[in-house]
Amino acid sequence: VTRRTELQTMIAINLKRQNILLALLGLLSVAWILLLSDGSDHYSAAGDLLPRKLLADPGEMSGLEKSAALRSSGSREAYELLAETYDEKKSVIFLIAFGERATSTTYVERTIMSLRRRGEYQGRVLLLTDAPDERYDGLFDANVIIMHPKEEHLKTDFDFPAMTVKRFKTYIIDYVDMVPELDAVEWIYYVDIDILFGAPFRDLIQKLGEENKIQGDNNFSSKLYFFKNSFVDQYVAQSGFMIAQRKTSNTANHCLRLWRSVIDSQLKLEHDQSSLNLISKDIESGKEHRCQLVIMEQGDHISFPHNNRDLDAMAKDSTYTSLIHIKNTSKSTSFGEGVHEKFVSDVLMLSDDEMKNGKLLEKTTFGMSHLS
């Protein structure tokens, strides 16, 4: 009897303790809710800003708020799709223009003009160029940042000199890291300067994000996104347009460093796509497991007009693909008299005064294919 009484007493004491603990947990939960709703900013242990609506109904939260809430939870699968969280302030367009044959033309001006007009993108652009300061001085708005290459990044012992320029694609994160104004940038979009924007850039990124399930993460993987190459029998990727996520982890740059390493070890390569082929084979064989090359379908996102028929088809209704890759090789000579000029004028939405600037409409045949 005495033993049973002692057991009953112990059970009663434990129940009281549990009730006390539950009450304390309830109070702590209320305090946490009040803390998040007091109107001030709060940070997670990792230093990430916690959204004030963290505990709100997800239906009431914006895409960016949901993304921040999911990121702070630490779940690798929880990151919001880029299609839903695209933010111009967290993006930068990266352009490269090297050599007299590139900088003596107006291809950079045309790309940026089309980006601002039909692309409806007013965010940051980073132009990496070896042209003298006065070449682009005063031509662009304050959101265009002009940088010069570091001497230690120049490698000139390739059999094909164009590879010296192509190699700079592998430094896009490094150069963004050098600009304090770009600290908030998470997504970098590399674009060849012989590409024009024919439709809103936001729409392109949202469509690509949905189709390819592009999502931000901060784990130890490294990804690069490319369009599928038109010559699928020769190359895996078309490198004129590339998406890279800038992360806080040290491995964010792994794919780009790997790409540079392969380029440096293959001095006889003529195209950077060839080096991507080698990386792709290593990934398929299991030799490389930290880098992922995501190959996106071209769909109606990018076009490669090479003749009058191509240009006429797009210009007929003044509706264009998001990206128009005008190859500035001998193929451009197949454009009839005035056809190329009319097409470029329409894409750029040039005024009468702007059309008087013949350089904006010029057709060249120098080998800008070395940048694609």
Side-chain angles (χ1 to χ4, degrees):
V1 173
T2 302
R3 178 63 176 165
R4 184 165 58 248
T5 302
E6 289 176 351
L7 288 172
Q8 290 174 343
T9 302
M10 290 177 64
I11 291 172
I13 291 172
N14 286 333
L15 287 173
K16 287 182 180 179
R17 287 175 177 172
Q18 289 178 7
N19 289 334
I20 292 171
L21 285 173
L22 289 173
L24 287 173
L25 287 172
L27 289 172
L28 287 172
S29 298
V30 172
W32 176 243
I33 293 173
L34 291 174
L35 180 65
L36 286 176
S37 59
D38 69 358
S40 60
D41 293 333
H42 304 280
Y43 295 82
S44 70
D48 297 320
L49 179 66
L50 295 173
R52 295 172 189 171
K53 293 185 180 179
L54 181 63
L55 302 180
D57 178 9
E60 300 175 359
M61 298 166 66
S62 69
L64 286 172
E65 288 171 330
K66 284 191 287 185
S67 179
L70 291 168
R71 280 200 294 274
S72 66
S73 73
S75 171
R76 286 172 56 178
E77 286 72 36
Y79 285 94
E80 205 68 18
L81 291 177
L82 173 61
E84 300 175 14
T85 62
Y86 169 76
D87 184 354
E88 202 168 87
K89 294 179 181 178
K90 294 184 178 181
S91 308
V92 65
I93 307 293
F94 200 110
L95 307 177
I96 296 176
F98 276 67
E100 184 180 355
R101 291 185 300 175
T103 58
S104 64
T105 69
T106 56
Y107 278 89
V108 171
E109 290 94 317
R110 282 162 44 158
T111 296
I112 294 177
M113 185 179 290
S114 66
L115 176 65
R116 297 293 193 228
R117 295 181 180 183
R118 288 194 183 272
E120 298 180 5
Y121 173 89
Q122 305 305 322
R124 298 283 193 173
V125 176
L126 196 160
L127 170 62
L128 183 66
T129 180
D130 62 350
D133 293 337
E134 59 269 19
R135 168 61 183 87
Y136 297 109
D137 186 38
L139 288 180
F140 306 119
D141 57 72
N143 274 343
V144 177
I145 300 168
I146 298 175
M147 296 185 70
H148 297 292
K150 285 185 168 293
E151 188 174 349
E152 59 264 32
H153 292 163
L154 285 168
K155 183 177 175 61
T156 60
D157 55 346
F158 296 105
D159 285 8
F160 293 89
M163 290 300 296
T164 295
V165 181
K166 293 179 179 182
R167 187 173 178 270
F168 274 94
K169 294 181 186 181
T170 70
Y171 284 111
I172 58 174
I173 291 180
D174 300 80
Y175 281 93
V176 170
D177 286 346
M178 297 177 196
V179 185
E181 298 95 315
L182 301 179
D183 282 349
V185 166
E186 183 177 357
W187 294 95
I188 304 172
Y189 305 94
Y190 169 80
V191 182
D192 273 0
I193 62 170
D194 52 357
I195 287 180
L196 299 178
F197 292 82
F201 184 68
R202 170 186 290 272
D203 294 348
L204 169 67
I205 298 307
Q206 289 179 335
K207 289 176 183 177
L208 290 178
E210 291 168 357
E211 294 171 7
N212 301 279
K213 306 301 181 189
I214 301 177
Q215 60 183 24
D217 62 47
N218 207 25
N219 56 36
F220 292 98
S221 66
S222 181
K223 298 179 183 178
L224 295 177
Y225 298 82
F226 299 96
F227 281 117
K228 179 186 291 185
N229 200 292
S230 300
F231 303 99
V232 291
D233 294 336
Q234 298 179 18
Y235 305 112
V236 171
Q238 202 283 336
S239 60
F241 178 81
M242 171 176 57
I243 302 176
Q245 185 192 6
R246 181 187 183 206
K247 307 181 191 179
T248 57
S249 66
N250 291 328
T251 57
N253 229 340
H254 174 68
C255 271
L256 292 171
R257 287 196 298 265
L258 176 63
W259 191 12
R260 183 162 62 248
S261 175
V262 173
I263 289 174
D264 290 351
S265 67
Q266 304 288 327
L267 299 180
K268 295 184 180 299
L269 290 183
E270 183 178 2
H271 303 289
D272 55 355
Q273 295 99 319
S274 300
S275 54
L276 292 173
N277 282 0
L278 296 174
I279 295 174
S280 179
K281 289 179 181 178
D282 283 348
I283 293 172
E284 290 177 2
S285 68
K287 182 179 178 181
E288 171 58 45
H289 55 86
R290 289 169 56 199
C291 174
Q292 297 182 50
L293 301 182
V294 181
I295 307 302
M296 307 179 293
E297 293 293 335
Q298 292 183 9
D300 59 356
H301 306 310
I302 186 169
S303 56
F304 301 85
H306 292 312
N307 52 48
N308 291 355
R309 183 180 59 188
D310 294 339
L311 298 186
D312 288 341
M314 283 190 286
K316 184 176 181 181
D317 300 314
S318 288
T319 55
Y320 303 102
T321 55
S322 297
L323 303 173
I324 307 166
H325 200 295
I326 300 181
K327 300 297 291 181
N328 303 300
T329 62
S330 57
K331 290 183 179 180
S332 67
T333 59
S334 63
F335 297 141
E337 187 66 29
V339 175
H340 175 271
E341 291 79 3
K342 183 178 183 299
F343 175 80
V344 172
S345 171
D346 191 58
V347 173
L348 297 182
M349 305 169 70
L350 297 181
S351 67
D352 291 340
D353 287 341
E354 288 170 333
M355 288 182 66
K356 293 177 182 177
N357 180 356
K359 288 187 70 66
L360 283 172
L361 301 174
E362 69 182 357
K363 176 174 60 177
T364 61
T365 58
F366 63 83
M368 276 296 294
S369 58
H370 70 272
L371 283 181
S372 60

